[in-house]
Amino acid sequence: MTHQIAIIGLGYVGLPLARLFATKYPVVGFDINQQRIAELNAGNDFTLEVEQDLLKSVLVTVNPFVIPSLNKEETTVSDEVYERSSEESQSIAPVLSGAEGKRGLYCTHELSDIADANIYIITVPTPVDKNNKPDLTPLYKASETVGKVLKKGDIVIYESTVFPGATEEECIPVLEKVSGLKFNADFFAGYSPERINPGDKEHTVEKILKVTSGSTPEIGKVVDDLYKSVITAGTHLAPTIKVAEAAKVIENSQRDINIAFVNELAKIFNLMDINTHDVLEAAGTKWNFLPFKPGLVGGHCIGVDPYYLAQKAQEFGYHPEIILAGRRMNDSMGAYVASQVVKAMIKKDIAVNGAEVLMLGITFKENCPDVRNTKIVDVVAALKDYGIKVTIYDPWAKPEEVKHEYGLTCYNTLPCHSARSEESLSAAQLESTSASIEKYDAVVLGVAHNEFLNLDLNLSLKEKAVVYDVKGVLEGAENTL
């Protein structure tokens, strides 16, 4: 079987996977966001998960499934090179040569471009709604899309995090209804949960062991061999799709519960006036002590996945106590951080109502532009409830995305005193222009971006001010979580 792969969804998960598969196979990446497709075809990834050189090295400008001069019986296309017409993209021109050499990534928003695929990999988000209920809408829509072009013999692989049973009970019926084909007779399915860690340049997709599964033992082997061909870390073939789904959802639930435990410790030790990070450092000297730290739990995985497992458990009549208790603890931390900042201000006799606070960071983790489900917004909202004016500075976040998602103004450079809305300063400019830097009653380090670690916070502090370190990374910070 000659694999022709379509990746549905080109975000934080889909693009790195598409890029990797494109080094060995013909790949078409599909996304409904036309702006995203235009950016990718220009060699730019705003998520910063795939570097420009890597992306351009696999991009092609002609659908690799449909090569006009290629007879289907031929096995070679010697020195076939596809050049971009635009002058600035001349570097994107990989060679397609032969059945085994035919490879490359073609990005599109046109459904017809994925019609000739025989393997469809769905990598769309699986969020929760405002009531923390699983929202499968993106999965349903993606399944409908694939169903329109599904053919006999095709395999549909899901990577999105779901509760056990979602692939076969929720997604497969959509594929059957739209395509008119019969599951495990006309088409087949697989599940291989994503393990992308946004912003992590060490543990990239090919270096993370992949769990695989198939709707039949034979298809499981096909799916496993497919991933094994590009994943250098290896694969683990699970016996069923439900096992693979369950494995993924408990990975992040486990981390969530462990972080909730240390968050509760932080609340206890703060009451006792004991530094939590010092306690964890001392306890960590034992060989089997798990190195978790307190903090805000956001992002697309850890703060979301436990709700998927909890929802399914409740459908079976079981109320998960530990899982939901962990979620309640971690969801409470934004308001808790804000209350601790206010207490520190009161101790310094700083008037809270009308005070000005600088929030350093709004992404859900350090050195990454991802603002999905960031819990910094909970801190900001709680501080505003106290009547505090909050300025957000984050060199990684996209201000327009922050505005669209949360209605908040975010600056990529440090605001100046003279014209906050029009003028700002980078960290490199601060020393020579310290007189113009905005001064604050408190500075809260919410995200440990590298840019913040060497920032001279004294330049941003009023004479009587508070520094609160959520991450526990600032030397000499008097207030930490």
Side-chain angles (χ1 to χ4, degrees):
M1 178 182 183
T2 302
H3 299 313
Q4 295 200 144
I5 303 169
I7 307 289
I8 313 302
L10 295 175
Y12 283 87
V13 174
L15 181 64
L17 188 68
R19 196 285 308 172
L20 180 61
F21 273 127
T23 62
K24 287 195 174 184
Y25 302 100
V27 178
V28 174
F30 176 87
D31 201 294
I32 60 174
N33 186 334
Q34 295 187 32
Q35 181 180 348
R36 173 70 167 157
I37 294 300
E39 290 172 349
L40 293 178
N41 282 331
N44 300 316
D45 171 27
F46 76 84
T47 71
L48 305 181
E49 290 302 301
V50 179
E51 295 176 0
Q52 190 175 69
D53 289 346
L54 276 179
L55 180 56
K56 286 186 174 183
S57 71
V58 297
L59 283 175
V60 295
T61 57
V62 172
N63 189 328
F65 297 170
V66 185
I67 302 177
S69 62
L70 176 63
N71 184 306
K72 290 185 178 179
E73 300 301 320
E74 292 180 314
T75 58
T76 60
V77 180
S78 52
D79 300 325
E80 185 84 45
V81 179
Y82 297 109
E83 296 283 358
R84 283 184 176 268
S85 57
S86 57
E87 191 174 311
E88 66 272 14
S89 301
Q90 290 293 322
S91 61
I92 306 175
V95 175
L96 305 182
S97 56
E100 295 197 9
K102 190 177 74 166
R103 61 188 182 275
L105 172 61
Y106 180 75
C107 299
T108 182
H109 59 84
E110 297 287 350
L111 181 61
S112 59
D113 287 329
I114 62 172
D116 290 323
N118 50 33
I119 292 181
Y120 295 90
I121 303 179
I122 294 177
T123 61
V124 296
T126 43
V128 292
D129 63 19
K130 62 181 181 180
N131 298 313
N132 292 323
K133 298 294 184 183
D135 181 4
L136 297 179
T137 302
L139 268 185
Y140 292 144
K141 294 294 185 182
S143 297
E144 289 174 4
T145 297
V146 171
K148 293 174 182 177
V149 293
L150 197 61
K151 307 169 297 302
K152 287 188 176 182
D154 289 351
I155 301 173
V156 183
I157 303 170
Y158 290 85
E159 288 220 357
S160 308
T161 303
V162 291
F163 49 77
T167 299
E168 292 158 301
E169 297 166 11
E170 301 290 340
C171 300
I172 296 303
V174 175
L175 292 173
E176 288 186 312
K177 180 179 179 181
V178 175
S179 69
L181 301 176
K182 186 176 180 181
F183 177 51
N184 274 348
D186 298 324
F187 74 94
F188 305 87
Y191 183 78
S192 181
E194 60 88 8
R195 283 176 164 174
I196 293 291
N197 186 24
D200 189 340
K201 300 307 179 184
E202 180 181 354
H203 302 98
T204 51
V205 59
E206 67 271 22
K207 298 176 183 177
I208 303 173
L209 194 145
K210 207 82 162 64
V211 174
T212 61
S213 64
S215 55
T216 69
E218 295 76 18
I219 294 301
K221 182 68 166 55
V222 172
V223 172
D224 191 63
D225 287 344
L226 174 67
Y227 280 96
K228 191 179 294 182
S229 69
V230 294
I231 303 294
T232 57
T235 60
H236 173 89
L237 178 57
T240 66
I241 286 177
K242 285 184 180 179
V243 168
E245 291 169 327
K248 168 59 179 178
V249 80
I250 70 166
E251 289 175 16
N252 291 320
S253 298
Q254 182 189 66
R255 285 184 58 80
D256 193 47
I257 291 167
N258 282 320
I259 296 171
F261 172 63
V262 293
N263 275 337
E264 186 161 56
L265 293 181
K267 290 184 176 183
I268 294 170
F269 293 142
N270 283 344
L271 291 172
M272 298 178 178
D273 198 25
I274 300 173
N275 186 293
T276 304
H277 293 274
D278 289 344
V279 174
L280 294 175
E281 183 180 1
T285 59
K286 189 180 180 186
W287 76 92
N288 60 353
F289 186 84
L290 301 178
F292 289 91
K293 294 182 178 180
L296 302 170
V297 182
H300 68 298
C301 285
I302 301 178
V304 172
D305 297 354
Y307 289 121
Y308 274 75
L309 183 56
Q311 169 77 13
K312 196 63 177 177
Q314 289 168 340
E315 289 179 11
F316 280 82
Y318 181 82
H319 182 76
E321 297 182 13
I322 294 176
I323 294 172
L324 293 179
R327 280 282 73 235
R328 286 193 297 272
M329 173 58 66
N330 288 338
D331 278 347
S332 74
M333 294 307 293
Y336 177 77
V337 167
S339 70
Q340 295 304 296
V341 173
V342 168
K343 285 181 181 179
M345 292 170 66
I346 292 172
K347 286 180 180 178
K348 284 200 169 185
D349 199 26
I350 300 171
V352 174
N353 191 18
E356 296 185 321
V357 169
L358 175 64
M359 175 63 69
L360 297 178
I362 193 170
T363 60
F364 92 89
K365 64 180 292 187
E366 65 276 4
N367 306 320
C368 171
D370 196 347
V371 298
R372 292 175 296 171
N373 194 36
T374 174
K375 295 305 176 182
I376 296 295
V377 298
D378 292 353
V379 182
V380 172
L383 289 173
K384 288 184 175 181
D385 284 344
Y386 287 103
I388 294 172
K389 301 173 185 176
V390 182
T391 298
I392 303 168
Y393 164 41
D394 193 316
W396 284 81
K398 294 180 68 175
E400 60 271 22
E401 185 179 3
V402 175
K403 192 73 172 180
H404 178 265
E405 292 294 326
Y406 304 109
L408 298 172
T409 299
C410 171
Y411 299 93
N412 287 141
T413 49
L414 201 60
C416 295
H417 176 72
S418 57
R420 179 182 299 178
S421 61
E422 300 174 2
E423 186 180 0
S424 55
L425 299 171
S426 65
Q429 296 173 299
L430 296 182
E431 254 182 63
S432 60
T433 56
S434 59
S436 65
I437 299 171
E438 189 78 37
K439 305 291 185 180
Y440 299 91
D441 297 291
V443 173
V444 179
L445 177 75
V447 186
H449 292 316
N450 288 340
E451 289 86 345
F452 296 154
L453 302 185
N454 297 315
L455 197 62
D456 186 356
L457 297 182
N458 291 320
L459 299 177
S460 298
L461 297 174
K462 293 181 179 178
E463 185 175 346
K464 186 169 57 174
V466 165
V467 175
Y468 190 92
D469 182 7
V470 174
K471 303 294 291 185
V473 295
L474 295 178
E475 290 287 339
E478 55 184 330
N479 302 285
T480 60
L481 180 58

